[in-house]
Amino acid sequence: MIYKKLPHTDLEVSKICLGTMTWGRQNSEEEGHQQMDYAVDKGINFFDTAELYPIPAHPDRYADTEKIIGSWFKKTGSRDKIILGTKIAGKADFTKFIRSSGFRRESLIEAVEGSLERLQTDYIDLYQLHWPERSTNYFGKRGYKHDLTDHWQDNIHQVLETLSDLVSEGKIRHVGLSNETPWGTMRFLEESKVHSNLPRMITIQNPYNLLNRQFEVGLSEISIRENIGLLAYSPLGFGVLSGKYMGGMKPANARITLFPAYSRYISENANRATQEYYNLAQENNLSLTKMALAYVNSKPFVTSNIIGATSMKQLKENISSIEVDLSDELMKGIDTIHNNIPDPAP
């Protein structure tokens, strides 16, 4: 395994992070435990979760993923071996059953306390805002359109003040963003620069994969110059970049088969690009999965690559991508496809 420091900390995290959002829906508690056992055995020390998981979100399964991680901590006594990240859900129609008050002080405190209890831990290493409160482009929205009905008022200072209190209390150690834009990222960073008593956002968890390299436009420069590390999620584009949906296939129990709403990586251009990436991988004696993950692993702005799996076979292949080095020639081939079919998925 390769390790990299979380920016502005002494914490070293594995370049592969174990994603967990299927546990409690597509995966049982026992399967979640098996995945954690295997991941730790392979050198992974970084887990990512959220109060929203498993997805799709549903009141009957609210925060079940955190409970599964908590029961594993209790069973194994391995909390001190893991760097743990979780997130507070933002405002949305599909989160009204959780709360509708956004990132107000009482909401942040309630969310952190709930996560600590479910995770059976006294502290969270990295606490993240799952998506912005304001109306902006995230979750498959390609371009920003200003919403005149959005009455969000800039509360970033107040959010950071509350997070600062939670850090002082020892309940969280560090803070990060997720599904954030260049404007939002810089706004948070500038606030903590001007007010040195406020905590600094150290990571940003956004989608990044061969079908969606939009992070490279604006955010990658911010990531490098401001030292805010990308925690890349959906590195396989909901599994599309494993090749299992090619030719219109709908494998049983696969995410897009079960939940067709998660189809932003399925389109004519995305399918064409996936086929070309598949051909390139085959020409270089690689699986598409390993090539796609190794590409994300190779990027200098990526602190950790969040992989997810519903089977042990998938998990083993995903983790083994850390052993793959892509040649300069192969990287040129990837860029040729990208230039011909740029970012076919939002």
Side-chain angles (χ1 to χ4, degrees), residues 294-311:
Y295 180 80
V296 175
N297 295 340
S298 73
K299 290 300 181 177
F301 47 79
V302 172
T303 294
S304 195
N305 185 0
I306 305 174
I307 56 103
T310 53
S311 72

Side-chain angles (χ1 to χ4, degrees), residues 182-183 185-186 189 218-228:
W183 182 87
T185 303
M186 288 304 300
L189 292 177
L219 276 168
S220 62
E221 182 179 12
I222 292 172
S223 177
I224 291 170
R225 293 189 185 277
E226 299 292 332
N227 194 19
I228 177 169

